[in-house]
Amino acid sequence: MASLEAAEATLSSMHAARDGMLAMAGRLAIDIAREAAHPDHGDMAIRTVAAEIGAAQHLSDRTIERRMAEASWLVERFPTVWEAQGEGRISGAHARVIVDAGAHLDDAADRQAYAAEAVAIAETESPNRLRRLARRLAERFQERTVSERHREARKGRRVWARDLDDGMAELATRGPAALIHGMFDRLSQMAHAVKKDNAHAARDAGPDAPPADERTIDQLRADLLADLLLTGTPAGHDTTDGLLGEIRARVEVSVPVMSLMDDDLRSSESSLTGGDGALRHETPPPALLDGTTPIDITTARRLAGSAVGWDRVLTHPISGALLAVDRYRPSEQLRRHLRARDQRCRFPGCGIGARKCDLDHNHAASTGGATTDVNLAAFCRRHHMLKHHSPWQVEQCAGGVLEWTSPTGRTYIDRPPPQNTVTFTDSTVPAPF
């Protein structure tokens, strides 16, 4: 295991070294063009250098030019990330996630502060888990709110088609995240309903029945989308009970309650909170779709206003840690509490959302394990099976922290992800040196 870790660190360092050389080549081309006062500002010089490198490496000069641009972006705008990769503390995949999430940060000081925090997270998280945390972190350093950016971005909503080989084509759309995820969720529900209905029909049919429907969920989604767009209703795929038209999309949105306030009221609340010099809070974070994608506050307010009910997630006002989730039915309350706490599968490196996971007793109920939040955690089906049918062991510590022990005896710590909430700092307490 140590040898594999050393090899990965070496690969990360080598990739960082390559990026450094590519960035240097790009900078050299621009400097040459500047000295010659060339009117294209270095474009032809960069092409010339890329062609030379591409010919030497048997690669397309377009590929090299793209790599040079990406390397320059990393080295010049996110030097902290590049250095961490060069030291083998993070991988190239981690670096790409950090750079992508912070690509729109124009202020150098903001980028530096963001990169420092993101690298610290990357050292203990997998790239897929880092992605949602980096997006959330980058929002703190954005000069414009997500609502302002969303109003501008939604002007680019569109639908387009692209031809493929073998008589196929792609239909794609870009639009508000809440709508796109809702569309996909409704198609998924309809596809599973059709598959279940067809399976029951095949089981009840006689020996002379036609072959069973063997379409995958992906194929059913595609067929249902075509059916809906071309006919207006899923007429060609409806269940025997005619339920497909009744299926409604589901999306999960988490939003700090202060973000739902009227803008004037929130401003007043902020000034009152910080007026005595004791407690202050930052601008409330944006709403998150499925705990991952920031959405504009107008959409979040509309969803909140039309929702039948919301889960209230109580968090600590200083640390932001999850305290409780309340509603009426105790068993459902516990499920909501665990989904809000865990947010995704609790096996190290896994990012499957909690609502797609199983809730599993760390100590089996059959041997006296309690059905409480200190003995339950969310595991995707893959890691649920791994826990029960392999030598992997897990113990739950205070605060929902899981300590996994691998078959080789190594220990891995998985902590609940931070909550999307407002936190306060006590300005009367001196900052530590």
Side-chain angles (χ1 to χ4, degrees):
M1 187 63 68
S3 298
L4 184 59
E5 289 177 340
E8 287 294 334
T10 301
L11 284 174
S12 295
S13 298
M14 294 300 294
H15 287 158
R18 183 191 64 181
D19 287 340
M21 288 185 281
L22 288 171
M24 186 185 303
R27 173 53 58 187
L28 176 63
I30 293 175
D31 289 343
I32 292 174
R34 183 182 293 117
E35 289 180 6
H38 201 282
D40 70 359
H41 304 291
D43 180 66
M44 189 55 64
I46 290 176
R47 292 188 192 184
T48 302
V49 173
E52 175 74 20
I53 298 174
Q57 296 186 357
H58 308 291
L59 291 173
S60 164
D61 59 319
R62 291 184 177 86
T63 298
I64 296 299
E65 189 171 344
R66 175 178 54 80
R67 289 182 179 177
M68 288 168 62
E70 292 173 350
S72 297
W73 190 268
L74 170 65
V75 174
E76 296 175 6
R77 293 177 66 89
F78 295 90
T80 302
V81 180
W82 178 54
E83 291 170 6
Q85 183 182 348
E87 294 169 359
R89 291 154 48 204
I90 64 173
S91 68
H94 288 100
R96 285 191 296 273
V97 169
I98 296 173
V99 171
D100 288 346
H104 300 296
L105 298 177
D106 295 325
D107 184 79
D110 287 345
R111 284 199 307 272
Q112 177 69 15
Y114 157 76
E117 292 191 42
V119 166
I121 297 172
E123 290 176 343
T124 60
E125 292 287 6
S126 63
N128 64 326
R129 284 190 179 181
L130 173 65
R131 184 171 289 104
R132 69 172 61 186
L133 298 174
R135 284 179 179 175
R136 188 186 301 180
L137 178 61
E139 283 298 323
R140 285 173 36 200
F141 298 94
Q142 289 282 5
E143 292 184 359
R144 298 189 301 161
T145 66
V146 67
S147 296
E148 294 171 335
R149 302 197 313 274
H150 177 74
R151 281 195 295 270
E152 180 178 332
R154 65 180 295 134
K155 296 176 183 177
R157 61 191 184 278
R158 65 189 183 101
V159 177
W160 67 95
R162 184 170 71 93
D163 290 329
L164 303 174
D165 296 332
D166 305 320
M168 300 293 284
E170 287 181 339
L171 177 69
T173 183
R174 175 183 291 124
L179 299 183
I180 298 298
H181 281 270
M183 291 157 59
F184 186 79
D185 183 78
R186 188 179 182 217
L187 282 173
S188 297
Q189 292 184 62
M190 297 170 81
H192 284 286
V194 168
K195 194 169 185 68
K196 180 179 179 181
D197 191 69
N198 288 346
H200 288 167
R203 184 184 60 198
D204 298 337
D208 298 330
D213 187 350
E214 297 182 352
R215 287 176 294 178
T216 65
I217 294 298
D218 281 335
Q219 292 168 343
L220 281 167
R221 285 194 195 100
D223 294 345
L224 282 161
L225 177 62
D227 203 357
L228 283 165
L229 291 179
L230 295 175
T231 69
T233 60
H237 294 84
D238 211 353
T239 64
T240 53
D241 296 328
L243 295 179
L244 290 188
E246 299 301 319
I247 291 177
R248 297 293 179 264
R250 300 170 304 183
V251 294
E252 291 188 4
V253 176
S254 63
V255 52
V257 67
M258 293 184 68
S259 296
L260 292 176
M261 291 181 181
D262 178 82
D263 292 335
D264 293 337
L265 179 59
R266 189 169 69 243
S267 298
S268 174
E269 180 70 17
S270 298
S271 62
L272 287 175
T273 304
D276 59 1
L279 293 176
R280 302 181 185 276
H281 66 80
E282 299 175 345
T283 301
L288 294 179
L289 182 67
D290 281 339
T292 303
T293 306
I295 62 174
D296 63 293
I297 197 60
T298 301
T299 298
R301 286 171 177 169
R302 287 176 179 171
L303 292 173
S306 60
V308 176
W310 281 79
D311 297 336
R312 183 175 64 168
V313 180
L314 304 178
T315 58
H316 193 281
I318 304 298
S319 67
L322 176 70
L323 296 178
V325 175
D326 65 352
R327 223 172 186 180
Y328 297 108
R329 299 179 183 177
S331 59
E332 287 299 316
Q333 175 186 356
L334 181 57
R335 290 178 178 274
R336 288 191 293 271
H337 175 88
L338 292 168
R339 284 198 299 267
R341 183 195 72 183
D342 293 346
Q343 301 181 41
R344 36 70 171 161
C345 173
R346 296 297 308 282
F347 186 84
C350 185
I352 299 295
R355 66 189 179 99
K356 298 180 181 179
C357 293
D358 302 329
L359 291 181
D360 181 59
H361 290 77
N362 292 333
H363 295 285
S366 59
T367 59
T371 306
T372 62
D373 62 321
V374 297
N375 190 43
L376 287 169
F379 302 138
C380 70
R381 186 56 55 87
R382 174 187 178 89
H383 295 125
H384 190 174
M385 298 296 290
L386 183 74
K387 171 180 174 290
H388 285 288
H389 301 288
S390 81
W392 278 90
Q393 301 293 324
V394 61
E395 291 290 336
Q396 185 164 159
C397 308
V401 175
L402 298 189
E403 182 178 288
W404 289 85
T405 303
S406 73
T408 61
R410 292 176 61 113
T411 299
Y412 301 87
I413 301 298
D414 187 83
R415 305 178 188 281
Q419 296 297 311
N420 182 42
T421 185
V422 176
T423 59
F424 295 82
T425 56
D426 190 344
S427 61
T428 63
V429 178
F433 291 96

